[in-house]
Amino acid sequence: MSFAVIGGTGFYGFLSEGAETLEVETPYGAVTLERGRVEGVEVFFLPRHGKEHGLPPHRINYRANLAALRELGVKNLLASAAVGTMRETLAPGALVALTQFLDFTRGRAGTFYDGEGGKVVHTDMTQPYCPHLREELLAAAGARGEKLHPEGVYVCAEGPRFETPAEIRMFQQLGGDVVGMTGVPEVVLAREAGICYASVAIATNWAAGVRPEKIAHQEVTNFMAQHTSRVVA
């Protein structure tokens, strides 16, 4: 049973130097990823934004990514997400095992089921993040003495701009805990593909308006570079 990791902002490498580079053709386009082994287990690694962070959130080919992993036989998928935090209880540096999401994206190809051949499919999203993989993550974090918050609501904004303070206040009132730009439709497509998907959000900054400071992309990237090892280990 193959395992895969999708790396977000600041998380562009995972496997050893001996990893094999693969290109997988899908009906939605070609996908380049790496294959290697971690403690004897076959693992695929896919940098969500590309090796050089060349893809903005709204231009990522989410369908091709998930279709490629499905074709490779991936059954368990762990994704990282750099997020802004909207809660005082989740200061920058907090790790969160996501449990629910709110979707504020628009115009993204968000499903494998577009009605081809007259087939209409409605996918249950009661538990969008795989509870079994989540429990394994929580157990692994506990064994290492790493605090992983057991639940959190992820708000997915369209990007690539950061959110306004007014938008953040709205997201807070709707129950959002952290905000990012890439978690949807990735989580939906994983569910449709039958892949057990869990996501660890890394709070890199306070969301707009929570603190007076402005948000800079480079600061987010630098923060992730410093904290990625907490997830990889």
Side-chain angles (χ1 to χ4, degrees):
M1 182 181 293
S2 294
F3 192 94
V5 173
I6 292 180
T9 298
F11 189 175
Y12 310 121
F14 172 65
L15 298 173
S16 65
E17 292 183 2
E20 174 189 8
T21 298
L22 302 176
E23 184 167 293
V24 181
E25 294 289 340
T26 80
Y28 311 99
V31 176
T32 301
L33 68 165
E34 295 179 343
R35 176 171 58 190
R37 303 191 78 82
V38 177
E39 297 183 359
V41 178
E42 183 180 54
V43 177
F44 296 96
F45 177 70
L46 196 162
R48 190 185 286 124
H49 296 278
K51 277 286 188 181
E52 305 299 327
H53 200 97
L55 290 171
H58 64 296
R59 297 296 298 275
I60 294 170
N61 194 338
Y62 296 96
R63 289 197 297 184
N65 288 348
L66 271 297
L69 294 176
R70 177 175 58 184
E71 185 173 324
L72 290 168
V74 169
K75 296 299 182 183
N76 292 283
L77 173 56
L78 173 62
S80 73
V83 297
T85 173
M86 299 182 282
R87 301 296 177 194
E88 294 289 340
T89 53
L90 299 172
L95 302 179
V96 186
L98 300 176
T99 47
Q100 293 289 324
F101 69 83
L102 295 168
D103 181 13
F104 282 87
T105 63
R106 54 189 180 277
R108 301 182 183 187
T111 181
F112 290 123
Y113 302 119
D114 276 333
E116 292 92 341
K119 184 179 181 180
V120 177
V121 177
H122 303 288
T123 304
D124 175 65
M125 297 299 291
T126 305
Q127 290 185 309
Y129 301 94
C130 177
H132 305 297
L133 189 51
R134 236 180 92 258
E135 288 301 321
E136 290 187 21
L137 287 171
L138 291 169
R144 294 181 57 243
E146 183 71 70
K147 182 174 177 56
L148 176 62
H149 292 267
E151 57 184 39
V153 177
Y154 175 95
V155 177
C156 194
E158 177 67 9
R161 67 170 177 84
F162 286 117
E163 305 74 38
T164 68
E167 288 172 322
I168 294 300
R169 289 194 296 272
M170 175 182 68
F171 296 156
Q172 288 172 324
Q173 291 176 21
L174 292 174
D177 297 307
V178 296
V179 59
M181 303 177 191
T182 57
V184 182
E186 191 173 273
V187 59
V188 177
L189 294 166
R191 183 78 172 169
E192 289 183 349
I195 297 173
C196 182
Y197 175 96
S199 182
V200 175
I202 306 174
T204 60
N205 57 276
W206 294 106
V210 179
R211 291 287 191 279
E213 311 87 58
K214 292 184 178 180
I215 306 169
H217 173 72
Q218 190 58 50
E219 292 178 7
V220 172
T221 302
N222 292 342
F223 190 97
M224 279 295 296
Q226 298 169 14
H227 290 265
T228 296
S229 61
R230 297 169 61 200
V231 177
V232 173

